[in-house]
Amino acid sequence: MGNGTKSLVKQARELAARYRIDDGRKFQLESIDPDDTGPFSDDDKSKAQDALAAGVDVLSELQDKLYAQDQWSVLLIFQAMDAAGKDGAIKHVMSGVNPQGCQVFSFKAPSAEELDHDFLWRCQRNLPERGRIGIFNRSYYEETLVVRVHDELLHRQNLPETLVTKDIFTQRFADIRNFESYLARNGVLVRKFFLHVSKKEQKKRFLERLEDPEKHWKFSAQDVKERGHWNAYMDAYQDVVRQTSAPHAPWFVVPADNKWFTRTVVAAAVIDALDALDLSYPKIGASQRADLDRARETLMRE
Ligand code: ATP
Ligand code: MG
């Protein structure tokens, strides 16, 4: 790794550390200002965009090694209120990576088939293979967010009645913590992002969607309805971070009122995560080297 890359990785680690939560027990959502731009002032926007572009290159190098080594896999989970910029963050941050080594799944309201299974089932079957980066655009965390805010959804999940008690969300948090420990012990590196947008900025983005015909498709009347439950969602998000942050599966609560900053922080956190794996291209042994030599001779004789 060149010196330029080393210093970029160091900067990425420092930036990501500002928003990383390994122990969420005392986490207060108020402590993160959605409009925060960390070390960058508004005039630094282009500096941050340069850092993002350089970061995308580093990410591409790291992903190549991840794929070649074929041991670890990386699971990136994105959660947010509507219009917080999940799709844009995913698109920009992953723009340089080889599509063969990357897979994105978007989890919507569960289908009838999905409701016929336990809540982790649909996520479990879409986990990234070794060597890959898997992205969950929404995830099993919806089971402690939308389902918590809308009690009626819980009662439509076909669960045996005796299991739907006041403890159900406490139990789901415990199950999620166990699942993420299990993943970590199996070589799946988990990183979770809550893109924290303000209610004011969401209104601005919704109005933009309504005004711009090219953005109409992104608008759904349901999103405005959900906005009516803002405080309940914020309480639920705070609880998620409190209950499920861990050193092996940290949450990053990323300020999301400035898209350029959100993307820079997410890229930084992914670079930091991959760098910490200390990846290298697989080295070959003596017998494989002899095979290569023989292959070269065969080709040269042609
Ligand atoms: P997004 O809203 O993520 O940008 P989208 O608009 O393309 O994507 P939607 O059809 O709105 O997709 O699907 C996402 C919706 O599905 C969200 O409102 C989310 O709360 C809901 N959802 C996801 N998982 C669950 C779940 N387990 N139970 C109930 N609803 C869920
Ligand atoms: Mg939607």
Side-chain angles (χ1 to χ4, degrees):
M1 204 187 279
N3 280 342
T5 307
K6 267 192 198 143
S7 108
L8 200 139
V9 169
K10 185 164 167 270
Q11 279 172 33
R13 172 158 314 138
E14 284 164 8
L15 182 61
R18 288 177 180 240
Y19 306 103
R20 174 177 171 137
I21 296 155
D22 288 300
D23 176 352
R25 278 174 295 182
K26 296 198 177 114
F27 175 70
Q28 297 281 354
L29 189 55
E30 286 162 8
S31 69
I32 307 288
D33 175 5
D35 194 32
D36 177 29
T37 53
F40 303 104
S41 71
D42 267 349
D43 298 337
D44 286 338
K45 186 173 164 178
S46 66
K47 231 201 259 172
Q49 281 166 334
D50 289 348
L52 176 59
V56 166
D57 288 343
V58 172
L59 204 63
S60 152
E61 264 176 57
L62 287 166
Q63 187 224 6
D64 202 46
K65 287 184 190 162
L66 181 81
Y67 190 82
Q69 192 172 335
D70 203 17
Q71 291 180 341
W72 294 97
S73 57
V74 176
L75 175 63
L76 308 175
I77 295 181
F78 288 85
Q79 288 289 159
M81 296 298 282
D82 290 299
K86 282 183 283 114
D87 292 9
I90 293 166
K91 179 170 142 190
H92 278 80
V93 173
M94 305 315 283
S95 59
V97 308
N98 180 348
Q100 286 214 72
C102 182
Q103 42 204 212
V104 185
F105 288 95
S106 297
F107 294 98
K108 318 260 172 187
S111 67
E113 187 193 20
E114 288 166 349
L115 283 177
D116 255 347
H117 295 267
D118 58 280
F119 79 86
L120 288 173
W121 180 76
R122 65 176 181 164
C123 293
Q124 176 111 42
R125 36 195 330 241
N126 289 307
L127 286 171
E129 295 160 47
R130 295 190 199 283
R132 316 269 163 132
I133 299 178
I135 294 172
F136 283 0
N137 183 352
R138 302 186 188 270
S139 65
Y140 45 83
Y141 279 103
E142 291 290 331
E143 293 291 334
T144 64
L145 292 163
V146 66
V147 178
R148 199 169 182 192
V149 172
H150 297 281
D151 208 35
E152 68 275 14
L153 292 177
L154 185 59
H155 296 282
R156 275 192 242 132
Q157 292 194 331
N158 308 338
L159 286 159
E161 256 172 59
T162 50
L163 300 182
V164 185
T165 69
K166 64 176 184 13
D167 297 325
I168 193 156
F169 294 107
T170 311
Q171 292 166 347
R172 284 189 176 181
F173 284 134
D175 294 337
I176 288 173
R177 284 195 298 268
N178 287 335
F179 180 59
E180 290 179 352
S181 300
Y182 164 84
L183 292 178
R185 290 182 189 123
N186 282 277
V188 184
L189 187 82
V190 181
R191 294 292 181 266
K192 307 176 291 200
F193 300 91
F194 167 39
L195 308 190
H196 182 29
V197 74
S198 67
K199 198 175 179 191
K200 186 167 154 239
E201 178 65 21
Q202 191 200 48
K203 177 176 174 180
K204 193 177 141 226
R205 293 185 189 173
F206 279 170
L207 288 173
E208 279 167 16
R209 288 181 181 183
L210 288 169
E211 271 149 36
D212 181 351
E214 291 188 359
K215 289 187 179 169
H216 281 169
W217 66 273
K218 284 193 194 180
F219 187 81
S220 131
Q222 183 61 31
D223 294 353
V224 174
K225 261 202 197 154
E226 286 312 291
R227 181 180 161 79
H229 301 280
W230 191 271
N231 292 341
Y233 271 108
M234 292 305 113
D235 288 348
Y237 270 108
Q238 178 173 273
D239 215 23
V240 160
V241 175
R242 286 186 181 177
Q243 301 280 342
T244 62
S245 296
H248 59 267
W251 274 102
F252 292 84
V253 181
V254 187
D257 278 8
N258 300 281
K259 289 179 180 172
W260 56 271
F261 184 65
T262 311
R263 293 166 189 172
T264 307
V265 174
V266 171
V270 180
I271 289 169
D272 182 33
L274 285 174
D275 181 68
L277 294 178
D278 204 13
L279 300 165
S280 56
Y281 289 105
K283 296 214 171 47
I284 57 167
S287 81
Q288 274 172 300
R289 189 174 301 275
D291 283 347
L292 296 188
D293 287 341
R294 268 193 298 279
R296 184 183 301 111
E297 274 166 36
T298 312
L299 286 170
M300 297 306 282
R301 269 202 304 272
E302 271 179 14

